[in-house]
Amino acid sequence: MVRHRSSSSSRWRILHPSYYLKRPRRLALLAIAFVCATFLVWDRQTLAREHEAEISKLIEENAQLENQLRDLIKYAEESGKKNSFPKKQEEIVQRRTSYNDAVNMERQIKVKEAMLHAWTSYEKYAWGYDELQPQSRSGVNNFGGLGASIIDSLDTLYIMGLDEQFQKAKEWVTNSLDFNKDVDASVFETTIRVVGGLLSAYDLSGDIIFLQRARQIGDRLLPAWNTPSGIPYNTINLAHGNAHNPGWTGGASILADSGTEQVEFIALSQRTGDPKYQEKVENVIKKLHAIFPDDGLLPIYINPHSGNAETYSKITFGAMGDSFYEYLLKVWIQGNKTDAVKPYREMWEKSMEGLKNLIRKSKPSSFTYITERSGSALIDKMDELACFAPGMLALGAYHDESEKGLMYLSLAKELARTCYNFYNSTQTKLAGENYIFNEGEDMVVGTSWNIMRPETVESLMYLWRITGDETYREWGWDIFQAFEKQSRIDSGYVGLRDVNSGEKDDMMQSFFLAETLKYFYLLFSPPSVIPLDQWVFNTEAHPLKITTRLDSMQMLGNHQFGQQAQEVKIDQRLRGERFESFNRIKSNILERGKHRERILGRKEGHS
Ligand code: DMJ
């Protein structure tokens, strides 16, 4: 025991300074060991620093190479312009964006954060209502009390990967959504927001509850088409099914309100196997085809009894006309461009010929704009709503590899420049509701409010995807920043009463979440996120899968074997297709996430 204690105390002696003072050689050895260790650590740090410098040099070189590659692609595009059709250009964009694109990734994240802010504000102050009034921090029902903001947001949440929020919205749709409302609802608004939103959620997630719900509301809307001509009444009581037109139209049906249900109701038939929805809405187009003028431009009022156009009413690509023209093109795309849907494309092309006659140039800056027509007189006024047209033209070009397609694309580019200037020319950098074109002063704001509409951003998204020109993304970023500056408040996003004074209103429109923020997000995403050759967006920006179209007879045949069986069959087919494309989208998003982490990791390493 004694021996043990003494050996252990002798071991600890080496830690005492007096031990070394008595042994100078050991002290010297210790000093040398200390110097060597310090040198080693210092050397490793130097190595790490050199390594970092090398990495940043490599990143720089990589960026230079990317620039060179972009120039080369641009050069190839320029030199092959005559034969380079939009589709090929989208492939170029695809390749290009697979390279490091940190700026757009950061922008995409900012947009996602904006969506989260809008959504959580709605969740906190207006859950279950149609829309949020951010200043009063309360909800309001403008669309029959169907929770329009929730349904309009489903696909945006899904695409942005906001899974928790999507699940909560789905639970609400499953357990709380009630269509049995004794209120007059707009057939058009309910179709594009609710039917469209639910079908898109179904196509994206594959969850049958969304299809069931879409079918329930579709059934409640159907009586609106029971008119002598088949042109629908635009308002319907959701509980009782009695339909009529609003008093202010003088009994007429509105062109856009009657010709913008085709994409949704055709999709509903295709997915349920029940032809009744598609028959009602296609009959409308047949009736309009019968009165279609040579220039393809219809007045905004149609008589639901005679089926004739009210020729006293104006012709416009803005309010009340707009999406009728959009759907002629989109039904053709949705139907896989087959013979069954060819008449839609033909009608659309006719309308585009008519559109050319409405085109004028401003003075002095030569901005291309779309006039309105009353009788034979052209009115030099353009709605911001008409800024969907550049996107529509570009989409038409994307699906038409001919000289005509290039003409559409070139008109689209000119109009997009005008629409961007609607934003860029105001004090707040947000566009007014419409513009008057006066000789000598280009454009001046007419109606001065901005309700955070999506049309310009929508067109920028199409144009960027189809041409690969980064200018469209830069313009979009300018507009996004203006919304952040002018419209964002603690409790959501609001519109402006006046785009020059910046005075705010008290409304967060559901289309801000459905469309404006979704199109911003897609503008900064690679084109593989909801690719244009596989999806078609309804007019409320709800993407629907392009599927091989069954005609009514095929559906009826299938129907006899049992509606439920057909639903399951179609559901399985769609699920297969969805799986395939969503696996692609998901892996793309995952890849981008990893890429971003790597970049951020590098950045942190540098600071
Ligand atoms: C949306 O409801 C749709 O885009 C519709 O086609 C036009 N109006 C709003 C957005 O501005």
Side-chain angles (χ1 to χ4, degrees), residues 75-103:
Y75 173 74
E77 276 173 25
E78 302 291 25
S79 46
K81 214 160 212 163
K82 270 201 196 112
N83 298 316
S84 80
F85 292 105
K87 198 165 184 174
K88 301 202 176 66
Q89 287 169 359
E90 201 196 31
E91 281 161 16
I92 291 170
V93 177
Q94 180 83 54
R95 283 204 302 278
R96 184 185 303 175
T97 46
S98 65
Y99 291 90
N100 178 5
D101 195 352
V103 172

Side-chain angles (χ1 to χ4, degrees), residues 95-275:
R95 283 204 302 278
R96 184 185 303 175
T97 46
S98 65
Y99 291 90
N100 178 5
D101 195 352
V103 172
N104 287 303
M105 270 191 255
E106 291 298 330
R107 289 175 177 180
Q108 193 199 42
I109 289 163
K110 291 258 162 55
V111 176
K112 183 171 170 178
E113 194 280 320
M115 177 67 190
L116 202 53
H117 178 62
W119 175 260
T120 45
S121 303
Y122 167 78
E123 212 179 6
K124 193 164 170 193
Y125 302 114
W127 184 250
Y129 284 90
D130 282 331
E131 290 175 318
L132 164 68
Q133 299 181 126
Q135 309 260 29
S136 7
R137 304 193 168 194
S138 61
V140 61
N141 285 331
N142 288 326
F143 301 104
L146 306 181
S149 289
I150 299 180
I151 302 177
D152 246 354
S153 297
L154 283 165
D155 52 5
T156 310
L157 295 171
Y158 191 94
I159 292 166
M160 290 184 179
L162 292 165
D163 299 339
E164 213 180 285
Q165 291 74 5
F166 176 79
Q167 286 309 326
K168 185 169 174 187
K170 188 185 112 182
E171 265 165 41
W172 187 88
V173 168
T174 310
N175 303 317
S176 308
L177 176 57
D178 177 15
F179 295 127
N180 193 29
K181 297 280 165 84
D182 188 7
V183 287
D184 283 349
S186 155
V187 175
F188 162 76
E189 298 291 359
T190 312
T191 300
I192 65 170
R193 293 173 205 234
V194 182
V195 182
L198 289 167
L199 286 176
S200 183
Y202 171 66
D203 277 7
L204 290 165
S205 70
D207 201 314
I208 197 82
I209 183 66
F210 296 121
L211 181 60
Q212 287 163 350
R213 292 307 217 163
R215 185 177 206 154
Q216 289 165 4
I217 186 64
D219 286 338
R220 281 179 190 269
L221 294 174
L222 273 186
W225 279 266
N226 297 338
T227 65
S229 69
I231 303 289
Y233 290 127
N234 299 154
T235 306
I236 192 165
N237 182 292
L238 292 177
H240 307 302
N242 40 315
H244 57 92
N245 276 334
W248 57 267
T249 66
S253 297
I254 298 163
L255 177 65
D257 284 35
S258 309
T260 313
E261 285 90 9
Q262 283 64 26
V263 168
E264 296 80 0
F265 276 70
I266 291 171
L268 191 53
S269 279
Q270 297 294 317
R271 281 148 187 75
T272 58
D274 187 339

Side-chain angles (χ1 to χ4, degrees), residues 413-436:
K413 288 178 187 172
E414 287 177 35
L415 288 169
R417 174 176 165 256
T418 308
C419 291
Y420 173 65
N421 202 59
F422 285 175
Y423 285 78
N424 200 37
S425 56
T426 70
Q427 293 290 317
T428 54
K429 302 287 171 201
L430 289 179
E433 177 69 357
N434 56 48
Y435 283 79
I436 314 295

Side-chain angles (χ1 to χ4, degrees), residues 188-189 192-193 322-323 385 453-455 511 515 539-540:
F188 162 76
E189 298 291 359
I192 65 170
R193 293 173 205 234
D322 49 8
S323 42
L385 277 165
R453 288 194 188 277
E455 291 75 16
F511 58 64
E515 299 191 70
T539 194
E540 188 79 1

Side-chain angles (χ1 to χ4, degrees), residues 308-335:
N308 289 327
E310 305 285 17
T311 45
Y312 63 84
S313 60
K314 70 175 178 182
I315 280 165
T316 178
F317 276 77
M320 301 201 271
D322 49 8
S323 42
F324 162 67
Y325 302 103
E326 176 186 344
Y327 270 28
L328 291 179
L329 176 71
K330 288 186 172 174
V331 172
W332 175 71
I333 297 169
Q334 174 190 36

